[in-house]
Amino acid sequence: MPRRSNAELSESTRASLLARATEAFAAHGYADAPLDELVRAAGLTKGALYHHFGSKQGLFEAVMASLDARITQRIEAALPPGAPTLGALEAACRAWLEAMLDAGARRILLLDGPAVLGHRAVRELDATSSIRPLAALLDELRHAGTIDPAIDAEPTAHLLAGALYEAALWIGEQPQPKRALPRAMAGVARMLGALAPPATPRRRT
């Protein structure tokens, strides 16, 4: 077997720590995540953890960013090919809510994230991963005439993201979250329908 380079070993160590930390934070929450156990499970030491991430908070922030990136890839894969439509926007919303069916993802991103990193840091992460892409998609739809041209994409993206955040929390509180998803998506579909251009009045003959 060829020997791996230092860079490859470093990346492998980092990936192993991230995987174990994601499991620990999802299962126990940030405050109760057992660092000793997760580094042992990864076959490493706390020294490796601090070398790569600096602190427990640094590790948690990296877990959030990694999880957020995976969800973004999932959303992109769910988008239908071709020009953007309201259906594509609805598919993106559904894909995000489906990702939030995972209790660990909800705990890390929606509950512990703001408490650990602070509201501003989480907003910055959201701006990069969801708000800006959502605003860009709304702009495309607006210029294509698919939604009302009078819509301001940036605040609308924030409003829609806030609605999805609350929907995800509501779904997680239900006894059977998977069965609650269609109810939440029905509300999302109605919201998105309201973005359509106003109907053109019929001329009297």
Side-chain angles (χ1 to χ4, degrees), residues 72-186:
T72 297
Q73 290 175 347
R74 179 173 175 172
I75 292 170
E76 289 173 349
L79 293 177
T85 62
L86 271 177
L89 181 55
E90 185 174 340
C93 295
R94 176 181 288 278
W96 188 82
L97 287 178
E98 286 175 344
M100 290 301 105
L101 287 173
D102 183 273
R106 286 198 310 274
R107 182 178 221 167
I108 291 170
L109 294 175
L110 306 186
L111 301 177
D112 282 356
V116 175
L117 302 183
H119 185 63
R120 177 172 293 182
V122 171
R123 280 180 65 82
E124 289 175 357
L125 177 62
D126 288 344
T128 302
S129 64
S130 57
I131 301 296
R132 288 172 192 159
L134 189 53
L137 179 54
L138 287 168
D139 251 337
E140 285 188 67
L141 293 170
R142 188 169 60 83
H143 289 303
T146 306
I147 64 175
D148 191 339
I151 287 173
D152 190 333
E154 185 177 358
T156 303
H158 279 273
L159 290 167
L160 184 54
L164 291 172
Y165 177 91
E166 287 297 327
L169 291 178
W170 174 79
I171 288 171
E173 292 167 354
Q174 303 311 302
Q176 295 179 301
K178 285 186 178 180
R179 291 191 176 184
L181 177 61
R183 293 174 62 194
M185 279 307 304

Side-chain angles (χ1 to χ4, degrees), residues 1-89:
M1 292 289 292
R3 295 182 62 182
R4 292 190 293 178
S5 67
N6 288 339
E8 288 173 329
L9 287 170
S10 178
E11 182 57 33
S12 175
T13 298
R14 190 177 189 279
S16 182
L17 283 169
L18 270 178
R20 295 297 180 179
T22 301
E23 294 172 1
F25 290 134
H28 304 284
Y30 176 81
D32 297 325
L35 291 186
D36 289 330
E37 287 182 24
L38 78 86
V39 294
R40 232 184 350 258
L44 300 166
T45 65
K46 272 190 177 179
L49 186 155
Y50 293 126
H51 171 73
H52 285 277
F53 301 103
S55 64
K56 183 180 183 180
Q57 181 171 322
L59 175 61
F60 181 76
E61 189 169 1
V63 164
M64 279 192 68
S66 175
L67 183 57
D68 209 44
R70 292 204 302 271
I71 292 172
T72 297
Q73 290 175 347
R74 179 173 175 172
I75 292 170
E76 289 173 349
L79 293 177
T85 62
L86 271 177
L89 181 55

